[in-house]
Amino acid sequence: MDASVLLALRDPAGVPFYPIVFQVLYILTWALHAAFVLLSLGAMGLSLYGSAKGKTDKYWSILTPHLIQTGKISVSILIVLGVAPLLFTQVIYDPNWYVTNTLSGMWIFIFVYTMVVGYSMYYWYYYANKAQRTGSTLIGFVSFGILVFAGILMHNFAVTSIMPQQWMSMYAPNGVVNTSGWTFNLDIIRLAFMVSLSIPVVGIFLQNYSHFLSTRKDFDASFISYSAKLGTNFAVIGLLISAVLFVLWMLQVKYLFHPVSLATIVGVLVLLVMAKINSNSYYTTLILVVVALLISTMRELIRFDIMSGLGYSIYDYPINFEIPSIVMFLSTFLVMGFVGVAFLLTMAWKVGKSEGVFDGSKDVMVNRLGQSTLYIMIAWMVIYFGWGITILFKNIL
Ligand code: HEM
C-alpha cells in the first residue's frame, strides 16, 4: 500500500483541531469502553455460574442478581462509551475505518443486529432469573455468547483496519474484485488477551463490592468475606493468565521491550500484589485504570507505527480550525458530562450505602448536583439548537 492511496482516502475537509488531541481522546475513551466491556463480560459470565447453582446457595442467591444487574448496566454504558472512540478513530484514521467498513460491510450490519438481539436477550435473562424460571441460565448463556460474538466482530474491525498492506488482496483476491463484505480477520492472541482481562476485572469488582458493602449492617460478615475472597482468587488467577497472554502478544508484534509494554507489565505486577493483599481495593482500581490506559496506548502505538511506516502520519493531517465546534464539544464533554456523571455516581453511591429506601430529595449534595445537571442541560439545549438553527438560516437564507 502506497502512501498516496492512504492520503487520498483522507477527508479533504481536514480535521477541525490538532490531531494529537483526537488521538489522546481516542486512547482515553477506548480505555473507558474496554473497562465496561470487561466488567460486563466478567459479571455476566460469573452470574451464569451462580444462575446454574440456583437459589440453593445462600451466598450465590445474593451475588447472582447483583452480578446480572452489574452486567446489564455495564452493557448500556459500554455501548455509549463505544461511540466516542468510534468518532475519534474516524476523524484521524478515516482511511482505516472506512476501508474496514467496506471490506467487512456484512459484518458491520450483523454487528448492529448482534447487539440488539444480544442485549434484548440479556433483559430476558434478567427477568427470567428474577422470576426463578427454569431455563434462565440457558437464555443467559445464549445472550453471553452473542455479546462475546459482538466483541469478536469488533476485534475483526480493529485488526482489519491495521492491515493496510493486505487491503488490496482482501478487496481483489487473485485480481478478482470481491465486494461481498465478508472480510474477516482474527488475531487469536490479541483477542484472547483482551477477553481474558474480564477475569481480573470482575475479580477487582468483587473486591470493591465487598469493601463497599462492608459498612452495611444488613449484609452478613461471612458473605462480605466470601465475596472478597472470591474476588481475590479471580483477580490473581485472571491477572496471571492476562500477563502471559500480554507477553505472547507483545512477542508476536515485537514490542515486548518497548517502554509502554514494560510499563504495562510492571503495572500488572503491581496489580497482582495489590489484589493479593487486598488492603484497599479502591487503590487497586486506580492502578487498574492506569493499566487500562497503558493497554489502550499500546493498541494506538501499534496502529500509529504501522501507518507511519507507510507514510501516513496523523500529525500531518491538514487542519482546518473550527473553534466553535471544538468549544461546543469540550464544554459539553467537560461541563455537562462531568456534572451529570457526578450526579449519577453520587446518587448511586448513597443509594448503595443506605439501608432501606434512600430519599434523594432530602440529600443536599444529590439535590444540588441534580439541579445543576438540569440547568446545564437546559442551557445546553438552548445553545445547541439556537446556534444550529442560526447557522442553518444564515446559510440558506
Ligand atoms: C458487547 C459488545 C461489545 C464488545 C464485547 C466489544 C469489545 C471490543 C473489543 C474486545 C475491542 C478491541 C478489539 C481489538 O483491539 O482487537 C473493541 C474495540 C472497539 N469497540 Fe467495542 N465492543 C462491543 C460493543 C461496541 C459498540 C456497541 C461500539 C460502538 C458503539 C464499540 C466500539 C468500539 C471501537 C470504536 C473500538 C476500537 C476499534 C479500533 O480501534 O479500530 N464496541 N470492542
Side-chain angles (χ1 to χ4, degrees), residues 8-61:
L9 286 167
R10 288 188 312 198
D11 184 350
V15 286
F17 206 58
Y18 299 105
I20 192 162
V21 173
F22 295 106
Q23 190 181 30
V24 170
L25 286 170
Y26 172 85
I27 292 173
L28 177 74
T29 53
W30 187 81
L32 287 171
H33 169 63
F36 286 94
V37 165
L38 300 171
L39 183 57
S40 63
L41 294 185
M44 191 182 185
L46 192 56
S47 77
L48 291 172
Y49 171 76
S51 166
K53 269 186 150 237
K55 279 265 181 212
T56 49
D57 188 297
K58 66 173 175 155
Y59 294 149
W60 282 94
S61 60

Side-chain angles (χ1 to χ4, degrees), residues 245-261:
L245 288 167
F246 180 73
V247 170
L248 288 177
W249 179 34
M250 289 299 103
L251 280 172
Q252 182 198 32
V253 289
K254 302 191 176 59
Y255 274 89
L256 186 59
F257 297 107
H258 190 281
V260 179
S261 160

Side-chain angles (χ1 to χ4, degrees), residues 261-330:
S261 160
L262 294 176
T264 311
I265 294 172
V266 172
V268 170
L269 292 177
V270 173
L271 266 184
L272 201 59
V273 175
M274 290 178 84
K276 177 91 191 116
I277 299 169
N278 192 18
S279 67
N280 188 332
S281 61
Y282 298 158
Y283 290 131
T284 316
T285 310
L286 283 181
I287 303 295
L288 182 67
V289 171
V290 175
V291 171
L293 285 170
L294 286 168
I295 294 169
S296 188
T297 308
M298 196 69 233
R299 287 177 80 253
E300 172 53 14
L301 189 70
I302 293 172
R303 173 167 65 175
F304 182 82
D305 287 351
I306 291 175
M307 297 307 286
S308 306
L310 292 169
Y312 178 101
S313 168
I314 54 161
Y315 301 141
D316 299 333
Y317 213 118
I319 305 176
N320 193 357
F321 282 108
E322 235 194 279
I323 301 300
S325 323
I326 296 295
V327 170
M328 183 73 198
F329 166 75
L330 285 180

Side-chain angles (χ1 to χ4, degrees), residues 26 30 33 78 82 86 111 115 147 151 154-155 158 190 299:
Y26 172 85
W30 187 81
H33 169 63
L78 83 83
L86 195 63
F111 175 75
M115 285 307 302
L147 292 175
M154 226 44 249
H155 166 79
R190 175 176 167 142
R299 287 177 80 253

